[in-house]
Coordinates of all heavy atoms in Angstrom, one line a residue:
M28 N 0.9 -1.2 0.0 CA 0.0 0.0 0.0 C 0.9 1.2 0.0 O 1.9 1.3 0.7 CB -0.9 0.0 1.2 CG -1.8 1.2 1.3 SD -2.9 1.2 2.7 CE -4.0 -0.2 2.3
R29 N 0.6 2.2 -0.8 CA 1.4 3.4 -0.9 C 1.1 4.3 0.3 O 0.0 4.3 0.8 CB 1.0 4.2 -2.2 CG 1.5 3.5 -3.4 CD 1.2 4.2 -4.7 NE 1.1 5.6 -4.5 CZ 0.8 6.4 -5.5 NH1 0.5 5.9 -6.7 NH2 0.8 7.7 -5.3
S30 N 2.1 5.1 0.7 CA 1.9 5.9 1.8 C 0.9 7.0 1.6 O 0.2 7.4 2.5 CB 3.3 6.6 2.2 OG 3.7 7.4 1.1
C31 N 0.7 7.5 0.4 CA -0.3 8.5 0.1 C -1.7 8.0 0.4 O -2.5 8.7 0.9 CB -0.2 9.0 -1.3 SG 1.3 9.9 -1.7
S32 N -1.9 6.7 0.0 CA -3.2 6.1 0.2 C -3.5 6.0 1.7 O -4.6 6.2 2.1 CB -3.2 4.7 -0.4 OG -3.0 4.8 -1.8
V33 N -2.5 5.7 2.5 CA -2.7 5.5 3.9 C -3.1 6.9 4.5 O -4.0 7.0 5.3 CB -1.4 5.0 4.6 CG1 -1.5 5.1 6.1 CG2 -1.1 3.6 4.2
L34 N -2.3 8.0 4.1 CA -2.6 9.3 4.6 C -4.0 9.8 4.1 O -4.7 10.5 4.9 CB -1.5 10.3 4.2 CG -0.2 10.0 4.9 CD1 0.9 10.9 4.3 CD2 -0.3 10.2 6.4
H35 N -4.4 9.5 2.9 CA -5.7 9.8 2.4 C -6.8 9.1 3.2 O -7.8 9.7 3.5 CB -5.9 9.5 0.9 CG -5.3 10.5 0.0 ND1 -5.8 11.8 -0.1 CD2 -4.3 10.4 -0.9 CE1 -5.1 12.4 -1.0 NE2 -4.2 11.6 -1.5
G36 N -6.5 7.9 3.6 CA -7.4 7.1 4.4 C -7.6 7.7 5.8 O -8.6 7.5 6.4
L37 N -6.6 8.4 6.3 CA -6.7 9.1 7.6 C -7.3 10.5 7.5 O -7.4 11.2 8.5 CB -5.3 9.2 8.2 CG -4.6 7.9 8.6 CD1 -3.1 8.2 9.0 CD2 -5.4 7.2 9.7
G38 N -7.8 10.8 6.3 CA -8.5 12.1 6.1 C -7.6 13.2 5.8 O -8.0 14.4 5.9
R39 N -6.4 13.0 5.3 CA -5.4 14.0 5.0 C -5.6 14.4 3.5 O -5.8 13.6 2.6 CB -4.0 13.6 5.1 CG -3.6 13.1 6.5 CD -3.6 14.3 7.5 NE -3.1 13.9 8.8 CZ -3.6 14.3 9.9 NH1 -4.6 15.1 9.9 NH2 -3.1 13.9 11.0
S40 N -5.6 15.7 3.2 CA -5.8 16.2 1.8 C -4.5 16.0 1.1 O -3.4 15.9 1.6 CB -6.2 17.6 1.8 OG -5.2 18.5 2.3
T41 N -4.6 16.1 -0.2 CA -3.4 16.0 -1.1 C -2.4 17.1 -0.8 O -1.2 16.9 -0.8 CB -3.8 16.0 -2.6 OG1 -4.8 15.0 -2.8 CG2 -2.6 15.8 -3.5
S42 N -2.9 18.3 -0.5 CA -2.0 19.4 -0.2 C -1.3 19.2 1.1 O -0.1 19.6 1.2 CB -2.7 20.8 -0.2 OG -3.7 20.8 0.8
T43 N -1.9 18.6 2.1 CA -1.3 18.3 3.4 C -0.2 17.3 3.2 O 0.9 17.4 3.7 CB -2.3 17.8 4.4 OG1 -3.3 18.8 4.6 CG2 -1.7 17.5 5.7
I44 N -0.5 16.3 2.4 CA 0.5 15.2 2.1 C 1.7 15.8 1.4 O 2.8 15.5 1.6 CB -0.1 14.1 1.3 CG1 -1.2 13.4 2.1 CG2 0.9 13.0 0.9 CD1 -2.1 12.4 1.3
G45 N 1.4 16.7 0.4 CA 2.5 17.4 -0.3 C 3.4 18.2 0.7 O 4.6 18.3 0.6
S46 N 2.8 18.8 1.7 CA 3.6 19.6 2.7 C 4.4 18.6 3.5 O 5.6 18.9 3.9 CB 2.6 20.4 3.6 OG 1.9 21.3 2.9
F47 N 3.8 17.5 3.9 CA 4.6 16.5 4.6 C 5.8 16.0 3.8 O 6.9 15.9 4.3 CB 3.7 15.2 5.0 CG 2.7 15.5 6.0 CD1 1.6 14.6 6.1 CD2 2.7 16.6 6.8 CE1 0.6 14.7 7.1 CE2 1.7 16.8 7.8 CZ 0.7 15.9 7.9
H48 N 5.6 15.8 2.5 CA 6.6 15.3 1.6 C 7.7 16.4 1.6 O 8.9 16.0 1.6 CB 6.1 15.0 0.3 CG 7.1 14.4 -0.7 ND1 8.0 15.1 -1.4 CD2 7.3 13.1 -1.0 CE1 8.7 14.3 -2.1 NE2 8.3 13.0 -1.8
A49 N 7.4 17.6 1.4 CA 8.4 18.7 1.3 C 9.2 18.8 2.6 O 10.4 19.0 2.6 CB 7.7 20.0 1.0
A50 N 8.5 18.7 3.7 CA 9.2 18.8 5.0 C 10.2 17.7 5.2 O 11.3 17.9 5.6 CB 8.1 18.8 6.2
L51 N 9.7 16.4 4.9 CA 10.6 15.3 5.0 C 11.8 15.4 4.1 O 12.9 15.0 4.4 CB 9.9 14.0 4.8 CG 8.9 13.6 6.0 CD1 8.1 12.4 5.6 CD2 9.7 13.4 7.3
S52 N 11.5 15.8 2.8 CA 12.6 16.0 1.9 C 13.6 17.0 2.4 O 14.9 16.8 2.3 CB 12.1 16.5 0.5 OG 11.3 15.5 -0.1
F53 N 13.2 18.1 2.9 CA 14.1 19.1 3.5 C 14.9 18.5 4.6 O 16.1 18.7 4.7 CB 13.3 20.3 3.9 CG 14.2 21.4 4.5 CD1 14.8 22.3 3.7 CD2 14.5 21.5 5.9 CE1 15.7 23.3 4.2 CE2 15.3 22.4 6.4 CZ 15.9 23.3 5.5
W54 N 14.2 17.8 5.5 CA 14.8 17.2 6.7 C 16.0 16.3 6.3 O 17.1 16.4 6.8 CB 13.8 16.5 7.5 CG 14.4 15.8 8.7 CD1 14.7 14.4 8.8 CD2 14.7 16.3 10.0 NE1 15.2 14.2 10.0 CE2 15.2 15.3 10.8 CE3 14.7 17.6 10.5 CZ2 15.7 15.5 12.1 CZ3 15.1 17.8 11.8 CH2 15.6 16.8 12.5
F55 N 15.6 15.3 5.4 CA 16.7 14.4 5.0 C 17.8 15.0 4.1 O 18.9 14.6 4.3 CB 16.0 13.2 4.2 CG 15.4 12.2 5.1 CD1 14.0 12.1 5.3 CD2 16.1 11.3 5.9 CE1 13.4 11.2 6.1 CE2 15.5 10.4 6.7 CZ 14.2 10.3 6.8
S56 N 17.4 15.9 3.3 CA 18.5 16.5 2.4 C 19.4 17.5 3.1 O 20.6 17.4 3.0 CB 17.8 17.2 1.2 OG 17.1 16.3 0.4
H57 N 18.8 18.4 3.8 CA 19.6 19.5 4.4 C 20.1 19.2 5.8 O 21.2 19.5 6.2 CB 18.8 20.8 4.3 CG 18.5 21.3 3.0 ND1 19.5 21.8 2.1 CD2 17.4 21.2 2.2 CE1 18.9 22.1 1.0 NE2 17.7 21.7 1.0
T58 N 19.2 18.7 6.6 CA 19.6 18.5 8.0 C 20.4 17.2 8.2 O 21.5 17.3 8.9 CB 18.3 18.4 8.9 OG1 17.5 19.5 8.7 CG2 18.7 18.3 10.4
L59 N 20.0 16.1 7.6 CA 20.7 14.9 7.8 C 21.7 14.6 6.7 O 22.6 13.7 6.8 CB 19.7 13.7 7.8 CG 18.7 13.8 9.0 CD1 17.8 12.6 8.9 CD2 19.4 13.8 10.3
G60 N 21.7 15.3 5.6 CA 22.6 15.1 4.4 C 22.4 13.8 3.7 O 23.4 13.2 3.2
R61 N 21.2 13.3 3.7 CA 20.9 12.0 3.0 C 19.7 12.2 2.1 O 18.6 11.7 2.3 CB 20.5 11.0 4.1 CG 21.7 10.7 5.0 CD 21.5 9.5 5.9 NE 21.2 8.4 5.1 CZ 20.6 7.3 5.5 NH1 20.2 7.2 6.8 NH2 20.4 6.2 4.7
P62 N 19.9 12.9 0.9 CA 18.8 13.1 0.0 C 18.3 11.8 -0.7 O 17.2 11.7 -1.2 CB 19.4 14.1 -1.0 CG 20.8 13.9 -0.9 CD 21.1 13.5 0.5
E63 N 19.1 10.8 -0.7 CA 18.8 9.5 -1.4 C 17.6 8.8 -0.7 O 16.9 8.0 -1.3 CB 20.0 8.6 -1.5 CG 20.5 8.0 -0.1 CD 21.4 8.9 0.7 OE1 21.7 10.0 0.2 OE2 21.8 8.5 1.8
V64 N 17.4 9.1 0.6 CA 16.3 8.5 1.4 C 14.9 8.9 0.7 O 14.1 8.0 0.6 CB 16.3 8.9 2.8 CG1 15.1 8.3 3.6 CG2 17.6 8.4 3.5
M65 N 14.8 10.1 0.4 CA 13.5 10.6 -0.2 C 13.4 10.5 -1.7 O 12.4 10.9 -2.3 CB 13.2 12.0 0.3 CG 12.9 12.1 1.7 SD 11.4 11.3 2.3 CE 10.2 12.3 1.5
A66 N 14.5 10.0 -2.3 CA 14.6 10.1 -3.8 C 13.5 9.2 -4.5 O 12.9 9.6 -5.5 CB 15.9 9.6 -4.3
N67 N 13.1 8.1 -3.8 CA 12.1 7.2 -4.4 C 10.7 7.3 -3.8 O 9.8 6.5 -4.1 CB 12.6 5.8 -4.3 CG 13.8 5.6 -5.2 OD1 14.0 6.1 -6.3 ND2 14.8 4.8 -4.7
V68 N 10.5 8.2 -2.9 CA 9.2 8.4 -2.3 C 8.4 9.3 -3.3 O 8.7 10.4 -3.6 CB 9.3 9.1 -0.9 CG1 7.9 9.3 -0.3 CG2 10.1 8.2 0.0
P69 N 7.2 8.8 -3.7 CA 6.4 9.5 -4.7 C 5.7 10.7 -4.1 O 5.3 10.7 -2.9 CB 5.4 8.5 -5.2 CG 5.2 7.6 -4.1 CD 6.6 7.5 -3.4
R70 N 5.7 11.8 -4.9 CA 4.9 12.9 -4.5 C 3.4 12.7 -4.8 O 3.1 12.1 -5.8 CB 5.4 14.2 -5.2 CG 6.7 14.7 -4.8 CD 6.9 16.1 -5.3 NE 8.0 16.7 -4.6 CZ 9.1 17.0 -5.2 NH1 9.3 16.8 -6.5 NH2 10.1 17.6 -4.5
P71 N 2.6 13.3 -4.0 CA 1.1 13.1 -4.4 C 0.8 14.0 -5.6 O 1.4 15.1 -5.7 CB 0.4 13.6 -3.1 CG 1.4 14.5 -2.4 CD 2.7 14.0 -2.8
T72 N -0.1 13.6 -6.4 CA -0.5 14.4 -7.6 C -1.9 14.9 -7.3 O -2.7 14.3 -6.7 CB -0.5 13.5 -8.8 OG1 -1.3 12.4 -8.7 CG2 0.9 13.1 -9.2
V73 N -2.1 16.1 -7.8 CA -3.3 16.8 -7.7 C -4.0 16.7 -9.1 O -3.4 17.2 -10.1 CB -3.2 18.3 -7.2 CG1 -4.5 18.9 -7.2 CG2 -2.5 18.3 -5.9
G74 N -5.1 16.1 -9.1 CA -5.8 16.1 -10.4 C -6.4 17.4 -10.8 O -6.7 18.2 -10.0
R75 N -6.4 17.7 -12.1 CA -6.9 18.9 -12.6 C -8.4 18.9 -12.5 O -9.1 17.9 -12.7 CB -6.5 19.2 -14.0 CG -5.0 19.4 -14.1 CD -4.7 19.7 -15.6 NE -3.2 19.9 -15.6 CZ -2.7 21.1 -15.7 NH1 -3.4 22.2 -15.7 NH2 -1.4 21.2 -15.8
G76 N -9.0 20.1 -12.2 CA -10.5 20.2 -12.1 C -11.1 19.9 -13.5 O -10.6 20.3 -14.5
R77 N -12.2 19.2 -13.5 CA -12.8 18.9 -14.8 C -14.3 19.3 -14.7 O -14.9 19.3 -13.6 CB -12.8 17.4 -15.0 CG -11.5 16.8 -15.2 CD -11.6 15.4 -15.6 NE -10.3 14.7 -15.2 CZ -10.2 13.4 -14.9 NH1 -11.3 12.7 -15.0 NH2 -9.1 12.9 -14.6
C78 N -14.9 19.6 -15.8 CA -16.3 19.9 -15.8 C -17.0 18.5 -15.7 O -16.5 17.5 -16.1 CB -16.7 20.5 -17.2 SG -16.1 22.1 -17.4
L79 N -18.2 18.6 -15.0 CA -18.9 17.3 -14.8 C -19.5 16.7 -16.1 O -19.5 15.5 -16.3 CB -20.0 17.5 -13.7 CG -19.5 17.9 -12.4 CD1 -20.6 18.2 -11.5 CD2 -18.6 16.9 -11.8
T80 N -19.9 17.6 -17.0 CA -20.5 17.2 -18.2 C -20.0 18.0 -19.3 O -19.6 19.2 -19.1 CB -22.0 17.2 -18.2 OG1 -22.4 18.6 -18.0 CG2 -22.6 16.4 -17.1
S81 N -20.0 17.5 -20.6 CA -19.6 18.3 -21.7 C -20.5 19.5 -21.9 O -20.2 20.6 -22.4 CB -19.5 17.5 -22.9 OG -20.7 16.9 -23.3
R82 N -21.8 19.3 -21.5 CA -22.8 20.4 -21.7 C -22.4 21.6 -20.8 O -22.5 22.7 -21.2 CB -24.2 19.9 -21.4 CG -25.3 20.8 -21.5 CD -26.6 20.2 -21.3 NE -27.6 21.2 -21.4 CZ -28.9 21.0 -21.0 NH1 -29.2 19.9 -20.5 NH2 -29.8 22.0 -21.2
R83 N -22.0 21.3 -19.6 CA -21.6 22.3 -18.7 C -20.4 23.0 -19.2 O -20.3 24.3 -19.1 CB -21.4 21.8 -17.3 CG -21.0 22.9 -16.3 CD -20.8 22.3 -14.9 NE -22.1 22.0 -14.3 CZ -22.3 21.4 -13.2 NH1 -21.3 21.1 -12.4 NH2 -23.5 21.2 -12.7
C84 N -19.4 22.3 -19.7 CA -18.2 22.9 -20.3 C -18.6 23.8 -21.4 O -18.0 24.9 -21.5 CB -17.3 21.8 -20.8 SG -16.4 20.9 -19.5
S85 N -19.5 23.4 -22.3 CA -19.8 24.3 -23.4 C -20.5 25.5 -22.9 O -20.3 26.6 -23.5 CB -20.7 23.5 -24.4 OG -21.9 23.2 -23.8
K86 N -21.3 25.4 -21.9 CA -22.0 26.6 -21.3 C -21.0 27.6 -20.7 O -21.1 28.8 -20.9 CB -23.0 26.3 -20.3 CG -24.3 25.6 -20.9 CD -25.3 25.4 -19.8 CE -26.6 24.8 -20.4 NZ -27.6 24.6 -19.3
L87 N -20.0 27.1 -20.0 CA -19.0 27.9 -19.4 C -18.1 28.6 -20.5 O -17.8 29.7 -20.4 CB -18.1 27.1 -18.5 CG -18.7 26.7 -17.2 CD1 -17.8 25.8 -16.4 CD2 -19.1 27.9 -16.4
K88 N -17.8 27.8 -21.5 CA -17.0 28.3 -22.6 C -17.8 29.5 -23.3 O -17.2 30.5 -23.6 CB -16.7 27.2 -23.6 CG -15.8 27.7 -24.7 CD -15.4 26.5 -25.7 CE -14.5 26.9 -26.8 NZ -14.2 25.9 -27.7
F89 N -19.1 29.3 -23.5 CA -19.9 30.3 -24.1 C -19.9 31.6 -23.2 O -19.8 32.7 -23.7 CB -21.3 29.8 -24.3 CG -22.3 30.9 -24.8 CD1 -22.2 31.2 -26.2 CD2 -23.2 31.5 -24.0 CE1 -23.1 32.2 -26.7 CE2 -24.0 32.4 -24.5 CZ -24.0 32.8 -25.8
L90 N -20.0 31.4 -21.9 CA -20.0 32.5 -21.0 C -18.7 33.3 -21.1 O -18.7 34.5 -21.2 CB -20.3 32.1 -19.6 CG -20.2 33.1 -18.5 CD1 -21.3 34.1 -18.6 CD2 -20.2 32.5 -17.1
F91 N -17.6 32.6 -21.1 CA -16.3 33.3 -21.1 C -16.0 34.0 -22.4 O -15.5 35.1 -22.5 CB -15.1 32.2 -20.9 CG -15.2 31.6 -19.5 CD1 -14.7 30.3 -19.4 CD2 -15.7 32.2 -18.4 CE1 -14.7 29.7 -18.1 CE2 -15.7 31.6 -17.2 CZ -15.2 30.4 -17.0
E92 N -16.5 33.4 -23.5 CA -16.3 34.0 -24.8 C -17.2 35.2 -25.0 O -16.9 36.2 -25.7 CB -16.6 33.0 -25.9 CG -15.5 32.0 -26.0 CD -15.8 30.9 -27.0 OE1 -16.9 30.9 -27.6 OE2 -14.9 30.0 -27.3
A93 N -18.4 35.2 -24.4 CA -19.4 36.3 -24.5 C -19.0 37.5 -23.6 O -19.5 38.6 -23.9 CB -20.8 35.8 -24.1
T94 N -18.2 37.3 -22.7 CA -17.8 38.4 -21.8 C -16.6 39.2 -22.4 O -15.5 38.6 -22.5 CB -17.4 37.9 -20.4 OG1 -18.4 37.0 -19.9 CG2 -17.1 39.0 -19.4
A95 N -16.9 40.4 -22.8 CA -15.9 41.2 -23.5 C -14.9 41.9 -22.5 O -13.7 42.0 -22.8 CB -16.5 42.2 -24.4
D96 N -15.4 42.3 -21.4 CA -14.6 43.0 -20.4 C -13.6 42.1 -19.7 O -14.0 41.1 -19.1 CB -15.5 43.7 -19.4 CG -14.7 44.6 -18.4 OD1 -13.5 44.8 -18.6 OD2 -15.4 45.2 -17.6
P97 N -12.3 42.3 -19.8 CA -11.3 41.4 -19.2 C -11.5 41.3 -17.6 O -11.2 40.3 -17.0 CB -10.0 42.0 -19.5 CG -10.2 43.0 -20.6 CD -11.6 43.4 -20.5
F98 N -12.0 42.4 -17.0 CA -12.2 42.4 -15.6 C -13.2 41.3 -15.2 O -13.0 40.5 -14.3 CB -12.6 43.7 -15.1 CG -12.9 43.8 -13.6 CD1 -11.9 43.9 -12.7 CD2 -14.2 43.7 -13.1 CE1 -12.1 43.9 -11.3 CE2 -14.5 43.8 -11.8 CZ -13.4 43.9 -10.9
Y99 N -14.4 41.3 -15.9 CA -15.4 40.4 -15.5 C -15.1 39.0 -16.0 O -15.5 38.0 -15.4 CB -16.8 40.8 -16.2 CG -17.3 42.0 -15.4 CD1 -17.3 43.3 -16.0 CD2 -17.9 41.9 -14.2 CE1 -17.7 44.4 -15.3 CE2 -18.3 43.0 -13.5 CZ -18.3 44.2 -14.0 OH -18.8 45.3 -13.3
R100 N -14.4 38.8 -17.1 CA -13.9 37.5 -17.6 C -13.1 36.9 -16.5 O -13.2 35.7 -16.2 CB -13.2 37.6 -18.9 CG -12.8 36.3 -19.4 CD -12.1 36.4 -20.7 NE -13.0 36.9 -21.7 CZ -12.8 36.8 -23.0 NH1 -11.6 36.4 -23.5 NH2 -13.7 37.3 -23.9
T101 N -12.2 37.7 -15.9 CA -11.3 37.1 -14.9 C -12.1 36.7 -13.7 O -11.9 35.7 -13.0 CB -10.2 38.2 -14.5 OG1 -9.5 38.5 -15.6 CG2 -9.3 37.6 -13.4
L102 N -13.1 37.6 -13.3 CA -14.0 37.2 -12.2 C -14.7 35.9 -12.4 O -14.8 35.1 -11.5 CB -15.0 38.3 -11.9 CG -14.5 39.6 -11.2 CD1 -15.6 40.6 -11.1 CD2 -13.9 39.3 -9.9
F103 N -15.2 35.7 -13.6 CA -16.0 34.5 -13.9 C -15.0 33.3 -13.9 O -15.4 32.2 -13.4 CB -16.6 34.6 -15.3 CG -17.8 35.5 -15.3 CD1 -18.1 36.3 -16.5 CD2 -18.6 35.7 -14.2 CE1 -19.1 37.1 -16.5 CE2 -19.7 36.6 -14.3 CZ -20.0 37.3 -15.4
Q104 N -13.8 33.4 -14.4 CA -12.9 32.3 -14.5 C -12.3 31.9 -13.2 O -11.9 30.8 -13.0 CB -11.8 32.6 -15.6 CG -12.4 32.6 -17.0 CD -11.3 33.0 -18.0 OE1 -10.3 33.5 -17.7 NE2 -11.7 32.7 -19.2
T105 N -12.1 32.9 -12.3 CA -11.5 32.6 -11.0 C -12.5 32.3 -9.9 O -12.2 31.8 -8.8 CB -10.6 33.7 -10.6 OG1 -11.3 34.9 -10.4 CG2 -9.4 33.9 -11.5
G106 N -13.8 32.7 -10.1 CA -14.8 32.5 -9.1 C -14.7 33.5 -7.9 O -15.2 33.2 -6.9
R107 N -14.1 34.6 -8.1 CA -13.9 35.6 -7.1 C -15.2 36.4 -7.0 O -15.9 36.7 -8.0 CB -12.7 36.5 -7.4 CG -11.4 35.9 -7.4 CD -10.8 35.5 -6.1 NE -10.9 36.5 -5.1 CZ -9.8 37.3 -4.8 NH1 -8.7 37.1 -5.3 NH2 -10.0 38.2 -3.8
D108 N -15.5 36.9 -5.8 CA -16.6 37.8 -5.6 C -16.1 39.2 -5.8 O -15.0 39.6 -5.3 CB -17.1 37.6 -4.2 CG -18.3 38.4 -3.9 OD1 -18.9 39.0 -4.8 OD2 -18.7 38.5 -2.7
R109 N -16.9 40.0 -6.5 CA -16.4 41.4 -6.8 C -16.2 42.2 -5.5 O -15.3 43.0 -5.4 CB -17.5 42.1 -7.7 CG -17.0 43.5 -8.0 CD -18.0 44.2 -8.9 NE -17.4 45.5 -9.2 CZ -17.6 46.2 -10.3 NH1 -18.4 45.7 -11.3 NH2 -17.1 47.3 -10.5
D110 N -17.0 41.9 -4.5 CA -16.9 42.7 -3.2 C -15.6 42.3 -2.5 O -15.2 43.0 -1.6 CB -18.1 42.4 -2.3 CG -19.4 43.0 -2.9 OD1 -19.3 44.0 -3.7 OD2 -20.5 42.4 -2.7
A111 N -15.1 41.1 -2.8 CA -13.9 40.7 -2.1 C -12.6 41.3 -2.7 O -11.5 41.2 -2.1 CB -13.7 39.2 -2.2
I112 N -12.7 42.0 -3.8 CA -11.5 42.6 -4.5 C -11.3 44.0 -3.9 O -12.2 44.8 -3.9 CB -11.7 42.6 -6.0 CG1 -11.9 41.2 -6.5 CG2 -10.6 43.3 -6.7 CD1 -12.2 41.1 -8.0
P113 N -10.1 44.2 -3.4 CA -9.8 45.6 -2.9 C -9.9 46.6 -4.0 O -9.5 46.4 -5.1 CB -8.4 45.5 -2.3 CG -7.8 44.2 -2.9 CD -9.0 43.4 -3.3
K114 N -10.4 47.8 -3.6 CA -10.5 48.9 -4.7 C -9.4 49.9 -4.5 O -8.8 50.1 -3.6 CB -11.8 49.5 -4.5 CG -12.9 48.6 -4.9 CD -14.3 49.2 -4.7 CE -15.3 48.1 -5.1 NZ -16.6 48.4 -4.9

């Protein structure tokens, strides 16, 4: 069983596991001077977000293409709230 699977089973997110990996890599490489220990330990991968259906993807693509103003296009694409942006 891979260590990432065990940590996922304990309720750890992929970003948390990545932080653990980075901390251990630093510890073994810089503090102990043994980078070969972590050389074969796999890093967790984060899957890219996907649209749930092709119909939803086409609707979002239409929305982004129909928005002419770069400010609003960025808001739509990043999911930010306009009130959250400092003025």
Side-chain angles (χ1 to χ4, degrees):
M28 182 181 290
R29 291 178 31 181
S30 61
C31 293
S32 299
V33 171
L34 291 173
H35 279 296
L37 294 174
R39 303 289 188 220
S40 68
T41 304
S42 61
T43 300
I44 297 169
S46 297
F47 290 165
H48 187 278
L51 289 172
S52 294
F53 180 85
W54 176 260
F55 281 104
S56 297
H57 296 283
T58 305
L59 300 178
R61 298 189 57 200
E63 69 277 1
V64 173
M65 291 296 291
N67 294 324
V68 177
R70 285 196 168 113
T72 56
V73 178
R75 294 184 179 258
R77 296 184 205 155
C78 292
L79 298 176
T80 63
S81 60
R82 183 176 178 191
R83 182 177 287 176
C84 286
S85 64
K86 286 183 178 183
L87 288 173
K88 185 176 179 183
F89 175 77
L90 175 68
F91 297 150
E92 290 173 354
T94 307
D96 187 3
F98 178 80
Y99 288 106
R100 182 178 293 193
T101 304
L102 285 178
F103 289 146
Q104 290 177 344
T105 59
R107 298 285 309 260
D108 184 11
R109 183 179 182 151
D110 296 330
I112 299 174
K114 295 180 181 174

